[in-house]
Amino acid sequence: MEFLLYLVLGGFAGVLAGLFGVGGGLIIVPVLVFSFTLQGFDSEVLTHLAVGTSLATIIFTSINSIREHHRKGAVRWPLVLWMTLGILIGAGIGALTAEAIAGPHLQKIIGVFAVVIAIQMALGLQPKATGTVPGKVGLTLAGTVIGWASAIFGIGGGSLTVPFLSWRSVPMQQAVATSSACGLPIALAGAASFMIIGWHNPDLPAHSLGFVYLPALLGIALTSMFFARFGARLAHKLSPRLLKRLFAALLFCVGLSFLI
């Protein structure tokens, strides 16, 4: 039954990855926390396990989303390159930051973040485009901050990268596509860091590689890779306004449940 849930979750996460330039972690992490709680996993590790597993699944959603956006010529690869330098550093620091936070407290932090992003999406709040894309140092610093936050929340960074690029006058479709490409190094660095820091934890369930739970990773990856391409195609054909608001409502409820 749990594996069926992971398959459905992977399909939903894949669509989100392609459609909005997010890795689906905003939904994956809360659902995994709920699932791991029902499975009786230790409360001190289940949130970290959900975050690490979410980052690992984003590796697969990113690959197909990137291919589809690249095929349409929308990825700004020079931006991806310099942001990745910072992302690799930030993701490692973010994983260490998350490890230092107790599981229940980490859930509260994720809940606050989910509510804030839900409000931003529902109201369509976007920073006004000002100036131009920063230079190499600016992009690296931005990547460091985005990688750090993404590792803590178990996300692909789209909810942070897209507004940043939009603010720096990158057209929305290019911002989404470039965000999808940045999600891959975030996921790789974050997942690897969570594997390492959780490797010898005695409270982890069977079939775990550090803070990555393999059955959930397999189930989500099987469907997310296919649906990410579907979502990326929709991003170039449909106005996502209504879908964003529906997703925001779901995200608000999920975040609120973490805070109550």
Side-chain angles (χ1 to χ4, degrees):
M1 186 63 185
E2 288 84 4
F3 192 71
L4 179 61
L5 171 65
Y6 300 144
L7 291 172
V8 174
L9 179 58
F12 189 45
V15 172
L16 294 178
L19 188 58
F20 300 128
V22 303
L26 287 168
I27 290 298
I28 291 175
V29 171
V31 173
L32 288 181
V33 167
F34 179 72
S35 174
F36 293 164
T37 301
L38 291 180
Q39 291 176 257
F41 293 175
D42 190 285
S43 61
E44 286 301 318
V45 301
L46 68 84
T47 306
H48 298 82
L49 195 64
V51 172
T53 303
S54 173
L55 288 165
T57 65
I58 292 168
I59 295 172
F60 300 95
T61 58
S62 293
I63 290 173
N64 276 292
S65 182
I66 291 168
R67 289 175 59 189
E68 194 64 28
H69 285 300
H70 176 70
R71 189 174 66 83
K72 296 182 180 295
V75 180
R76 299 273 294 270
W77 287 110
L79 306 188
V80 174
L81 173 62
W82 290 106
M83 290 186 71
T84 295
L85 293 179
I87 284 169
L88 295 177
I89 298 170
I93 297 173
L96 292 173
T97 303
E99 184 191 26
I101 302 172
H105 294 156
L106 184 58
Q107 286 188 33
K108 299 292 185 185
I109 294 172
I110 293 172
V112 170
F113 180 75
V115 169
V116 169
I117 296 301
I119 294 173
Q120 180 265 325
M121 294 186 71
L123 299 180
L125 301 177
Q126 291 287 348
K128 292 183 179 180
T130 58
T132 58
V133 175
K136 298 173 182 178
V137 174
L139 289 171
T140 301
L141 289 175
T144 301
V145 174
I146 291 170
W148 172 76
S150 298
I152 294 175
F153 302 126
I155 61 175
S159 54
L160 302 173
T161 308
V162 172
F164 167 71
L165 293 176
S166 178
W167 173 50
R168 303 309 293 177
S169 303
V170 177
M172 182 55 68
Q173 281 195 343
Q174 292 183 10
V176 170
T178 304
S179 170
S180 295
C182 288
L184 183 57
I186 288 173
L188 286 169
S193 298
F194 271 86
M195 284 183 184
I196 293 170
I197 64 178
W199 194 263
H200 295 295
N201 193 302
D203 298 321
L204 288 172
H207 313 300
S208 296
L209 285 179
F211 286 128
V212 174
Y213 186 55
L214 295 181
L217 172 60
L218 176 61
I220 294 171
L222 284 174
T223 51
S224 65
M225 293 186 71
F226 170 77
F227 281 94
R229 297 181 65 182
F230 175 70
R233 290 171 184 168
L234 285 179
H236 292 271
K237 294 181 179 180
L238 302 176
S239 171
R241 184 176 180 182
L242 176 60
L243 290 175
K244 275 190 175 182
R245 289 183 174 177
L246 291 173
F247 176 55
L250 174 61
L251 192 59
F252 183 83
C253 293
V254 169
L256 201 60
S257 69
F258 272 30
L259 297 174
I260 297 177

